[in-house]
């Protein structure tokens, strides 16, 4: 089957429709694609499998996967035709524990090609790829039937993947127009719509990298803005406190170099907790050297931070070479830049902070936000207003009551932090030194969400 014929048939069965549709986001769209029913038309299913096989047969991969539900039966056919093993990621939430998300037999280190029916933002592809990577597999190629975004390929390639799409929205529009299925007016409306979406995604979303998106989704899902800073010196205490508080946090901040009994088991256990309780991992090793050195510190040594931390903190003082040194050639990792610290008398003045925001904006693919502290919500709000749209503000130096410690740490209240615009609060001793860390973590989380949740 040719691509043109395939498009016409999709139109025949109502899988591509033109008119006026209201999307989940509230936008009105002049087209609507839904390929779910395609599997009930053997001729179409065969046709698409042939086209996909032709498109991917020369790529280098060991396994084929499809994103459930729509793409899974399609991937099954393709895997069979290419005589490759099929594996996939379970759709339902996994039961607690360390059980794998991957269904099927595989060897670690193998390369998976992921098939999906549609791509718009790339989120479901990224999410699937992350799960395969967690299971020790490699992902390079995504194969999709329809790219309805008109611009996502650039972004996907930047993240280190390769997108192979069979049919673009433009192609569908052209074929249906040539065959008198849609009018000139329709074509104009589609072009106008995609241009608007593109402009808007450029201005608002382009500063959000994949990890920022994941973190934002988790904030909403767990209804939590709480980042626990677990600065204790032994594993026993670490996991005792984590076990009691993990359900309330969206991210865990570590300083692994504080532990006096660090070993590889610690990392394994940490990852298990992160999976089980659904939080992200942020290692607060504040990198602050030339690019060449920080790269070695990030990838090597005994901690091998890159292998397990989703985020790290970076000082902008050495200039942007530090960001290149840390992240060039890596995917799926991100950072927070220190823009205004919480310690009294720190040397970060207004100009410095502004320059940090500029650097982070430029490198938004690997910078998810900024560590900012202020003594009060007005001052914090001023900082928030300068943060590039889409990036996050994380506030350390937070307690239930304002105050100071004996070495210059300054504390602002949860309410001031959140009303000042913080997306996340970083809390250490307020929780870990509390009589009841569990109840206290819950209280921090609820007090923060009371403010933040109003806008969600
Ligand atoms: O400016 C900063 C930046 C950071 S990341 N001030 C901070 O306090 N932090 C970190 O937040 C600090 O390293 C510590 O791990 C945590 C605050 O801990 P607490 O016990 O004072 O809440």
């Amino acid at each position: 089957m040719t691509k043109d014929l395939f498009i016409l048939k999709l139109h025949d069965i109502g899988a591509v429709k033109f008119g006026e549709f209201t999307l989940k986001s509230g936008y009105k769209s002049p087209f609507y694609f839904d390929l779910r029913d395609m599997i009930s038309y053997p001729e179409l299913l065969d046709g698409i499998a042939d086209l996909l096989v032709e498109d991917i047969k020369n790529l280098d991969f060991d396994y084929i996967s499809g994103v459930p539900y729509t793409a899974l039966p399609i991937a099954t056919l393709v895997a069979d035709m290419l005589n490759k093993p099929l594996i996939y990621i379970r759709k339902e939430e996994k039961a607690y524990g360390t059980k794998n998300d991957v269904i099927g037999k595989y060897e670690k280190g193998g390369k998976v090609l992921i098939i999906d029916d549609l791509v718009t933002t790339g989120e479901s592809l990224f999410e699937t790829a992350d799960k395969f990577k967690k299971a020790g597999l490699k992902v390079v190629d995504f194969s999709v039937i329809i790219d309805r975004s008109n611009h996502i390929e650039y972004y996907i390639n930047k993240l280190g993947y390769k997108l192979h799409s069979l049919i673009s929205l433009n192609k569908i529009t052209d074929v249906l127009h040539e065959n008198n299925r849609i009018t000139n007016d329709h074509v104009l409306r589609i072009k106008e719509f995609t241009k608007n979406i593109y402009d808007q995604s450029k201005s608002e979303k382009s500063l959000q990298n994949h990890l920022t998106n994941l973190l934002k989704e988790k904030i909403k899902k767990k209804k939590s803005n709480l980042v626990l800073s677990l600065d204790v010196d032994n594993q026993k205490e670490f996991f005792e406190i984590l076990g009691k508080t993990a359900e309330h946090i969206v991210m865990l901040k570590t300083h692994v170099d504080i532990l006096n009994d660090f070993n590889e088991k610690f990392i394994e256990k940490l990852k298990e907790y992160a999976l089980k309780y659904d939080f992200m991992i942020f290692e607060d090793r504040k990198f602050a050297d030339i690019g060449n050195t920080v790269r070695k510190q990030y990838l090597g040594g005994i901690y091998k931070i890159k292998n397990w931390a989703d985020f790290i903190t970076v000082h902008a003082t050495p200039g942007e070479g530090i960001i290149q040194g840390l992240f060039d050639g890596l995917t799926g990792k991100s950072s927070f830049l220190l823009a205004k610290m919480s310690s009294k008398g720190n040397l970060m003045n207004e100009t410095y902070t502004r320059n940090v925001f500029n650097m982070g904006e430029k490198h938004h693919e690997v910078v998810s936000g900024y560590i900012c502290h202020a003594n009060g919500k007005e001052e914090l709000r001023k900082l928030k207003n300068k943060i590039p749209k889409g990036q996050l503000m994380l506030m350390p130096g937070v307690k239930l009551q304002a105050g100071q410690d004996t070495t210059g740490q300054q504390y602002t209240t949860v309410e001031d932090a959140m009303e000042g615009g913080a997306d996340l609060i970083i809390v250490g001793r307020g929780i870990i030194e509390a009589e009841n860390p569990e109840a206290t973590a819950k209280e921090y989380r609820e007090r923060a969400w009371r403010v933040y949740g109003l806008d969600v």
Side-chain angles (χ1 to χ4, degrees):
M1 189 180 291
T2 62
K3 284 188 193 174
D4 288 22
L5 187 57
F6 177 71
I7 292 169
L8 292 172
K9 296 227 175 249
L10 282 184
H11 190 241
D12 287 341
I13 66 164
V16 301
K17 289 189 185 134
F18 292 86
E20 188 165 280
F21 306 92
T22 306
L23 304 177
K24 259 195 273 170
S25 55
Y27 285 111
K28 294 219 180 320
S29 167
F31 56 85
Y32 180 75
F33 299 153
D34 183 348
L35 305 194
R36 269 176 300 189
D37 287 349
M38 205 178 78
I39 51 166
S40 312
Y41 299 84
E43 186 196 4
L44 267 179
L45 200 53
D46 272 353
I48 193 58
D50 285 341
L51 287 170
L52 286 171
V53 164
E54 210 35 53
D55 206 41
I56 63 174
K57 66 180 183 201
N58 294 323
L59 301 175
D60 176 23
F61 56 88
D62 307 300
Y63 301 94
I64 287 194
S65 182
V67 181
Y69 292 106
T70 309
L72 189 54
I74 299 168
T76 311
L77 264 186
V78 173
D80 188 51
M81 289 163 76
L82 288 172
N83 201 20
K84 294 273 187 190
L86 178 81
I87 52 177
Y88 65 97
I89 301 290
R90 68 180 78 236
K91 172 103 177 158
E92 70 278 12
E93 284 282 311
K94 183 167 60 74
Y96 274 3
T98 55
K99 251 179 38 217
N100 214 327
D101 277 319
V102 182
I103 296 182
K105 277 268 170 243
Y106 64 92
E107 302 267 339
K108 285 196 174 172
K111 293 191 202 102
V112 191
L113 173 136
I114 303 173
I115 298 180
D116 208 351
D117 55 338
L118 301 167
V119 61
T120 312
T121 62
E123 274 316 301
S124 62
L125 287 168
F126 297 143
E127 217 172 277
T128 309
D130 279 350
K131 291 192 172 149
F132 279 127
K133 285 189 193 163
K134 272 198 176 137
L137 289 149
K138 294 187 186 130
V139 180
V140 179
D141 296 297
F142 296 140
S143 163
V144 301
I145 301 175
I146 298 178
D147 174 359
R148 62 180 163 189
S149 75
N150 269 354
H151 66 275
I152 198 69
E153 185 168 358
Y154 170 80
Y155 178 57
I156 288 182
N157 291 348
K158 278 232 140 203
L159 288 175
Y161 300 107
K162 269 192 101 50
L163 178 70
H164 310 273
S165 62
L166 272 187
I167 299 164
S168 64
L169 174 63
N170 285 343
K171 170 87 178 161
I172 297 179
T173 315
D174 289 348
V175 170
L176 294 181
H177 189 222
E178 279 160 20
N179 287 276
N180 300 321
R181 304 274 185 110
I182 53 173
T183 61
N184 285 338
D185 181 48
H186 258 126
V187 176
L188 284 178
R189 274 197 287 144
I190 293 163
K191 297 235 146 90
E192 181 68 11
F193 175 80
T194 50
K195 185 177 174 307
N196 286 344
I197 290 272
Y198 180 44
D199 289 349
Q200 188 201 318
S201 70
K202 258 203 332 202
S203 62
E204 272 179 27
K205 283 224 188 104
S206 61
L207 293 186
Q208 275 178 223
N209 64 41
H210 170 48
L211 280 245
T212 320
N213 289 341
L214 279 182
L215 184 53
K216 284 189 175 176
E217 277 166 24
K218 256 187 231 315
I219 292 174
K220 279 196 218 151
K221 189 169 158 202
K222 288 193 86 175
K223 292 193 175 18
S224 171
N225 313 84
L226 182 58
V227 180
L228 176 66
S229 175
L230 233 180
D231 302 343
V232 296
D233 65 8
N234 65 87
Q235 292 194 37
K236 185 169 175 286
E237 195 180 351
F238 186 97
F239 288 111
E240 249 169 44
I241 299 175
L242 186 57
K244 289 183 187 150
T245 52
E247 70 169 293
H248 298 296
I249 67 174
V250 69
M251 185 153 67
L252 176 71
K253 188 173 82 63
T254 55
H255 277 290
V256 272
D257 52 359
I258 291 180
L259 287 170
N260 52 33
D261 54 358
F262 174 86
N263 54 20
E264 278 178 20
K265 283 229 168 66
F266 171 77
I267 297 302
E268 272 169 38
K269 203 161 165 191
L270 179 61
K271 285 203 225 163
E272 282 170 20
Y273 273 71
L275 264 180
K276 179 170 169 187
Y277 293 103
D278 199 17
F279 59 77
M280 298 187 88
I281 304 176
F282 163 20
E283 162 55 35
D284 190 15
R285 163 78 171 80
K286 297 180 179 66
F287 292 93
D289 212 317
I290 59 165
N292 185 54
T293 305
V294 290
R295 190 170 186 87
K296 289 182 184 162
Q297 294 173 318
Y298 183 33
L299 271 56
I302 51 172
Y303 302 121
K304 302 191 177 41
I305 295 168
K306 187 226 109 192
N307 292 351
W308 49 270
D310 299 306
F311 299 93
I312 49 173
T313 24
V314 180
H315 275 297
T317 353
E320 61 186 329
I322 190 169
I323 295 180
Q324 286 146 0
L326 286 166
F327 295 110
D328 265 6
L330 300 185
T331 56
K333 298 287 158 187
S334 192
S335 65
F336 304 113
L337 301 185
L338 289 135
K340 179 74 191 161
M341 290 191 70
S342 60
S343 40
K344 200 170 168 56
N346 71 73
L347 304 181
M348 296 173 168
N349 61 19
E350 238 182 281
T351 315
Y352 181 86
T353 303
R354 193 170 351 102
N355 287 333
V356 174
F357 292 154
N358 288 340
M359 193 190 288
E361 179 165 15
K362 183 168 169 200
H363 293 280
H364 61 265
E365 276 138 24
V366 288
V367 175
S368 292
Y370 307 89
I371 308 285
C372 294
H373 176 95
N375 289 317
K377 62 183 162 198
E378 281 78 25
E379 225 183 296
L380 194 61
R381 178 57 59 189
K382 280 189 211 147
L383 285 172
K384 171 79 175 192
N385 289 340
K386 292 186 192 136
I387 288 187
K389 243 183 159 173
Q391 293 178 309
L392 301 166
M393 181 159 85
L394 285 76
M395 165 101 164
V398 176
K399 272 199 171 175
L400 296 176
Q401 265 106 40
Q404 266 195 33
D405 73 2
T406 52
T407 52
Q409 172 73 307
Q410 309 176 98
Y411 291 107
T412 301
T413 63
V414 180
E415 281 72 19
D416 273 359
M418 297 311 293
E419 283 164 19
D423 296 287
L424 294 153
I425 49 168
I426 297 173
V427 184
R429 284 164 287 176
I431 292 174
I432 62 181
E433 289 179 1
E435 226 164 82
N436 183 342
E438 188 174 1
T440 313
K442 182 166 183 278
E443 180 168 4
Y444 273 94
R445 168 220 178 143
E446 286 176 353
R447 280 170 69 162
W449 188 259
R450 217 170 283 151
V451 181
Y452 188 89
L454 294 175
D455 285 339
V456 176

